[in-house]
Amino acid sequence: MKRRTLLGGAAVGAATAAEPWGRLAFALSKGSTIDSHAVAALVDRAAELHLSELNLSGRRLQGVVESHLDAITAALTHAGEHERALTIAAGETAALAGWVAWDLGEHQKAGAYYTVTSECAEAAGHPPLRGLALTYASYGAATPKKALELLSQAAQDVRGHGNATAAAWVHGRQAEEAAQAGDETGAMRALERARFAYDFADHVNEQAWVRFVTPHRMDSLALSVYGHLRRKELTTTADSAVARLGEALPESGVVVLGDLASALLRGGDVDRGVYVSHAFAAAARSKPNTMGRERARTVAAQLPSRERELSHHLEQFAS
């Protein structure tokens, strides 16, 4: 019996590819060329993992992502004509691994993953992949100036058809960092570019790694910018964001809730700000991450004195 028949193929699907015995099957089948169905399974699984970020804890997601990266790495040794597709999927998976590592405070590990993502982008001739790595890396940059340097290159990498959502995210991040640096003109221009790009975006059907750039996330980017600059648009944007969220506050993401709570409190809408702050605290507790901790510190500092218990809880979470 041939080894390929015994193993049921070089890969028998996305789920098995992410398991240790699936990786062993890849290794044992070294020398045979992976078929198109197996490649599709691996690529689809890589895409699914970017969506899993929305509902899995960081530590649990890390193990799943790194296992899948192992599977793609093993498959690359006999990719044949599918090498480029698998290289791109590997880079996207490595970028997510880096992001999860950074969220868990493993900054050196995150940097290593971002570097290999950029190498995958170069090997595959696929600039948007480098843009993904650079934009993720911008969150951990030492200064806004350094972050803006990374984002400037990322903006170049995501130009062109099919990258509208990615471009909106990159320009939104540029606006955030410019606002933190006190560059109001630069921040407002970048925010306008982000909104213009998003008018042409389809965050559901473009790259899987931009699925999180929902209208809610665009609201939070604008709120972050207006909050840092203390712009008059802060209150009206917060009102619009609350209306868009409706009753879905706990499920709408730690970052969105944190930015919204901060904006409402800073804008003087204390009652709604406190309400959203409680929702933010619950979301941050259920899915702790670096960005949530950063926002917890900001929200805690703005809560009214009657919310001492919530403020103390958020300060502890942020420490």
Side-chain angles (χ1 to χ4, degrees), residues 55-277:
N55 49 45
L56 289 182
S57 67
R59 190 61 67 186
R60 183 179 176 190
L61 180 60
Q62 185 177 52
V64 175
V65 171
E66 291 184 343
S67 291
H68 190 59
L69 187 57
D70 282 346
I72 299 178
T73 299
L76 272 169
T77 62
H78 46 92
E81 64 180 307
H82 306 294
E83 183 175 359
R84 184 173 187 270
L86 283 180
T87 299
I88 292 172
E92 291 175 344
T93 306
L96 180 57
W99 175 247
V100 174
W102 181 80
D103 238 11
L104 294 172
E106 300 170 355
H107 298 158
Q108 187 174 359
K109 188 175 184 179
Y113 276 126
Y114 296 150
T115 297
V116 78
T117 297
S118 294
E119 291 172 354
C120 287
E122 183 176 357
H126 189 62
L129 188 52
R130 180 174 61 176
L132 168 61
L134 292 172
T135 307
Y136 273 158
S138 71
Y139 285 96
T143 64
K145 180 180 178 181
K146 178 59 179 176
L148 286 168
E149 290 174 0
L150 299 174
L151 291 165
S152 178
Q153 178 59 61
Q156 297 298 312
D157 290 337
V158 298
R159 292 187 301 175
H161 180 71
N163 297 319
T165 309
W169 176 37
V170 173
H171 291 312
R173 284 287 301 128
Q174 286 178 312
E176 276 193 308
E177 294 295 340
Q180 288 190 50
D183 179 5
E184 184 166 358
T185 300
M188 296 307 295
R189 285 177 178 170
L191 186 58
E192 183 61 30
R193 288 195 296 270
R195 284 174 163 159
F196 180 78
Y198 203 70
D199 284 341
F200 300 91
D202 183 355
H203 73 279
V204 174
N205 294 310
E206 293 176 8
Q207 301 97 331
W209 45 267
V210 295
R211 298 284 178 90
F212 74 93
V213 190
T214 62
H216 302 313
R217 185 68 179 97
M218 292 299 293
D219 284 342
S220 77
L221 285 166
L223 289 169
S224 177
V225 171
Y226 293 149
H228 279 103
L229 298 176
R230 298 190 177 276
R231 297 274 301 191
K232 63 181 180 181
E233 296 95 329
L234 180 65
T235 302
T236 56
T237 304
D239 289 341
S240 175
V242 169
R244 196 194 305 274
L245 281 169
E247 299 299 320
L249 290 179
E251 292 79 30
S252 298
V254 175
V255 174
V256 175
L257 292 171
D259 285 338
L260 180 54
S262 179
L264 290 167
L265 293 168
R266 187 180 284 115
D269 194 344
V270 177
D271 288 342
R272 278 202 300 179
V274 168
Y275 170 68
V276 177
S277 295

